[in-house]
Amino acid sequence: MMQNAIHIDDLSFGHHSAEQRAIDQVSLNIAAGECVALLGPSGAGKTTLLTLLDGRLRDWQGRVSVLGTPFEPTRALPLAKRADTGFIFQEFALVERSTVMRNVLNGRLGRMPGWRALLGNVSKSDMDIARSTLSDCGIADLADRRVDSLSGGQRQRVAIARCLAQEPKLIFADEPVSNLDPSRAADILTLLTSAAQARGATTVFSSHQPELARRFADRIIGMRNGRIVFDVATRDLTDDATAALYDDTDPASGARLKVVS
Amino acid sequence: MRSRDLGGFWAGLFVAGVLLWSLITTDVELSRLLSAGPRIADFFGRMFPPDPTIMDEIWKGSAETLRIAILGTLGAVFFSVPLGILASETMVSAAVHRPVRTVLAFIRAIPLILVAMLMVGAVGLGPLPGIIAVAFHATGMLAKFYAEAIDGVSRAPIAALESAGAGPLLRLRYAIWPQMAPVVARDTIFRFELNLRESLILGIVGAGGIGFYIQTYVRSFQYDKAASVTIAVVIMVIAIEGINVALRRRFA
Ligand SMILES: Nc1ncnc2c1ncn2[C@@H]1O[C@H](COP(=O)(O)OP(=O)(O)OP(=O)(O)O)[C@@H](O)[C@H]1O
Ligand SMILES: [Mg+2]
């Protein structure tokens, strides 16, 4: 049995053009089946960390292994390994001119034989999975609509459906509710976390809303300036720790935050 | 004098030199220049009235020009799809797209009429060299447009498909193509219009189409017939322009 879905040891990474590291000596273990929230101010490194764990960054230092596969620091993750981790993007990242159904089927591309996928030949089982995730996400009736005709909340459901159709063992969600009103936001996180739980998938989501993190995550990690400043079980998170995470006057990091946000 | 004033002085001297050079070395006697006016008037006089009895030739020539433009555009699309992919920075590395772009720039730099003359030499008279020339010449522009269409799409959906495990061709098919399709349609129609317009004169070098008749009638001093063909060409250009304006409005 796999112990850790994610194992990170002394990980550091800097974007090409940036002088400061986006991830600075991070060590972290996340067990299979956990639901973890990543909190932190703008520029803390949340998106960078999730993208790296999704296998899409290279030239980092340290050790990373995801779902038992050790990553290579100099190479992006091979395509064949990608399908097991799903990613929900901050701005949906849907193909606007395609239908909802096509976007959800796109989530299955990594699971189809390449030639068949290229010909647009969708097997019955792929179709069934796409249909059932659409109805799990409450948008079965939108299947034939083009994405550019949808509302923000509907788009977010399509993005989640695409990720779930991929049948990932690990789900990364980058600010999945930042574009939604408070009650929609709670609906979407309920949908995401319960779907992940039903599938036994490990979930890591980033957010700017501590209340939502408390409500939906088992464990909360606070990041700032590329470092982990706290990593606690949800019930152990204090209001002081949350306040300090977003405190602009913190002498250690105040100057940099002003530049970023 | 400051250096900027000096620069203006040298530029003026250069322009004056170039003008003087053209005037002195071109073999134009003053007497010929003076008589050119009446000669041109006489030429136009002999074009009137245009001879309306050659409708058959005009239809035949126009239809052939249209076929050359259609098949030439088809050929250009055929070559521009792979070359456009190889010229885009989204799909291939700089080691591939830089040289491909350079080759396309060279192709664009060769005038169509020159390519047509070479092709007539290579494969003989008729519409075939015209089709080959149009396909070759148009590929230089169309492949560049296709590459720009690929590079112009939003990146996030491409990253999403990459994250799901889709390879480069699948990303092209499902993330890039749906975004670029309207641009490709617009660019292809635009290039077809140019092809049609440019292939009107290909016949002059023997590469088929209505231009052949202009050349024939002028050489045999049948200026009234040449006038009819010229009028037909002008009407076609205006018609193409009109269709193009209508299509642009649809794609705007
Ligand atoms: N493509 C990039 N090139 C250069 N620097 C980048 C790039 N992406 C992010 N950075 C920098 O890396 C740091 C971390 O950014 P990241 O996007 O990971 O933060 P974040 O926590 O996701 O912020 P937000 O809450 O605003 O989404 C920032 O200082 C940012 O400016
Ligand atoms: Mg972010």
Side-chain angles (χ1 to χ4, degrees):
Chain A
M1 227 207 89
M2 187 170 53
Q3 287 299 312
N4 285 324
I6 296 170
H7 172 77
I8 305 173
D9 189 18
D10 199 22
L11 173 67
S12 291
F13 172 81
H15 289 281
H16 277 307
S17 50
E19 74 270 21
Q20 224 155 346
R21 286 171 166 180
I23 299 172
D24 195 6
Q25 296 182 309
V26 165
S27 295
L28 182 66
N29 285 312
I30 292 176
E34 264 191 293
C35 178
V36 179
L38 206 53
L39 287 182
S42 265
K46 305 181 295 293
T47 300
T48 305
L49 181 61
L50 295 179
T51 307
L52 197 152
L53 292 174
D54 195 38
R56 285 183 286 125
L57 291 179
R58 28 178 208 178
D59 300 329
W60 37 269
Q61 293 95 47
R63 275 168 300 282
V64 173
S65 103
V66 173
L67 297 171
T69 305
F71 281 17
E72 279 194 55
T74 53
R75 285 202 294 165
L77 191 66
L79 285 173
K81 300 266 185 198
R82 297 266 172 90
D84 283 343
T85 60
F87 201 99
I88 297 166
F89 290 74
Q90 202 163 345
E91 303 287 341
F92 315 130
L94 298 166
V95 183
E96 292 281 315
R97 297 185 73 255
S98 296
T99 62
V100 167
M101 183 50 121
R102 184 62 250 172
N103 271 279
V104 172
L105 285 170
N106 285 348
R108 291 210 57 77
L109 288 175
R111 304 255 182 226
M112 302 176 183
W115 54 270
R116 211 182 66 199
L118 206 56
L119 290 175
N121 181 347
V122 182
S123 75
K124 185 172 179 312
S125 74
D126 286 327
M127 204 60 173
D128 289 344
I129 290 165
R131 286 232 174 77
S132 74
T133 46
L134 275 175
S135 66
D136 286 354
C137 294
I139 46 171
D141 52 328
L142 299 181
D144 298 324
R145 286 267 293 275
R146 253 168 65 154
V147 168
D148 52 14
S149 72
L150 302 182
S151 74
Q154 290 169 328
R155 276 167 212 233
Q156 192 56 278
R157 285 173 190 269
V158 179
I160 292 172
R162 175 175 66 189
C163 175
L164 294 177
Q166 195 181 319
E167 300 186 306
K169 298 190 180 73
L170 180 50
I171 297 173
F172 298 115
D174 192 13
E175 297 188 33
V177 295
S178 58
N179 297 304
L180 306 178
D181 68 59
S183 98
R184 292 263 147 58
D187 288 349
I188 291 289
L189 277 177
T190 307
L191 165 67
L192 178 62
T193 51
S194 57
Q197 203 171 29
R199 289 161 170 78
T202 312
T203 309
V204 184
F205 70 93
S206 70
S207 175
H208 279 298
Q209 288 150 281
E211 354 42 277
L212 289 176
R214 277 174 197 270
R215 191 168 145 196
F216 290 98
D218 313 325
R219 173 179 163 194
I220 300 181
I221 296 173
M223 264 187 102
R224 182 164 178 153
N225 291 350
R227 290 169 173 269
I228 292 181
V229 292
F230 61 75
D231 179 354
V232 294
T234 301
R235 62 179 173 282
D236 297 334
L237 182 66
T238 63
D239 289 341
D240 284 352
T242 319
L245 187 64
Y246 291 98
D247 185 0
D248 277 6
T249 60
D250 182 338
S253 48
R256 177 157 175 260
L257 275 179
K258 293 232 168 53
V259 178
V260 174
S261 54
Chain B
M1 246 194 266
R2 283 179 302 137
S3 67
R4 242 176 67 200
D5 302 332
L6 212 60
F9 171 74
W10 285 118
L13 204 65
F14 177 73
V15 171
V18 168
L19 282 175
L20 215 60
W21 172 76
S22 331
L23 281 172
I24 294 172
T25 54
T26 307
D27 189 17
V28 185
E29 292 155 37
L30 198 59
S31 55
R32 272 189 78 187
L33 195 64
L34 289 176
S35 65
R39 277 161 173 271
I40 291 172
D42 174 55
F43 175 83
F44 278 118
R46 279 195 277 162
M47 285 177 89
F48 280 94
D51 183 348
T53 61
I54 53 161
M55 276 321 272
D56 277 359
E57 283 86 345
I58 288 177
W59 281 124
K60 234 180 91 197
S62 307
E64 189 164 273
T65 294
L66 191 62
R67 283 200 299 270
I68 290 172
I70 290 173
L71 294 176
T73 307
L74 191 72
V77 170
F78 181 80
F79 291 113
S80 295
V81 168
L83 284 170
I85 292 171
L86 293 176
S88 84
E89 37 186 63
T90 311
M91 294 301 293
V92 296
S93 69
V96 179
H97 73 244
R98 291 241 176 80
V100 173
R101 282 178 189 194
T102 309
V103 169
L104 293 177
F106 272 111
I107 294 177
R108 281 196 304 278
I110 310 173
L112 175 64
I113 197 81
L114 194 64
V115 185
M117 284 169 76
L118 296 174
M119 285 303 127
V120 168
V123 302
L125 296 168
L128 183 63
I131 293 166
I132 297 173
V134 169
F136 177 83
H137 180 73
T139 296
M141 184 195 276
L142 209 52
K144 177 173 182 265
F145 281 179
Y146 288 179
E148 282 167 2
I150 292 174
D151 293 338
V153 304
S154 123
R155 297 296 170 110
I158 306 174
L161 264 65
E162 192 196 339
S163 168
L169 283 178
L170 286 176
R171 278 177 243 158
L172 180 67
R173 167 90 160 80
Y174 292 111
I176 299 176
W177 172 250
Q179 298 188 66
M180 71 186 276
V183 180
V184 166
R186 193 195 59 203
D187 290 348
T188 307
I189 289 169
F190 171 69
R191 188 57 237 188
F192 172 69
E193 187 217 329
L194 283 185
N195 288 346
L196 193 52
R197 195 185 285 239
E198 292 181 0
S199 52
L200 288 171
I201 54 157
L202 283 180
I204 293 172
V205 298
I210 195 167
F212 169 74
Y213 295 100
I214 299 185
Q215 182 234 32
T216 310
Y217 294 138
V218 170
R219 290 245 171 106
S220 58
F221 308 110
Q222 296 173 288
Y223 296 131
D224 52 347
K225 291 184 178 157
S228 306
V229 182
T230 307
I231 291 169
V233 167
V234 169
I235 290 173
M236 274 172 72
V237 170
I238 292 172
I240 295 165
E241 190 74 46
I243 293 168
N244 186 40
V245 168
L247 284 174
R248 286 239 171 122
R249 219 168 272 147
R250 283 210 59 182
F251 283 105

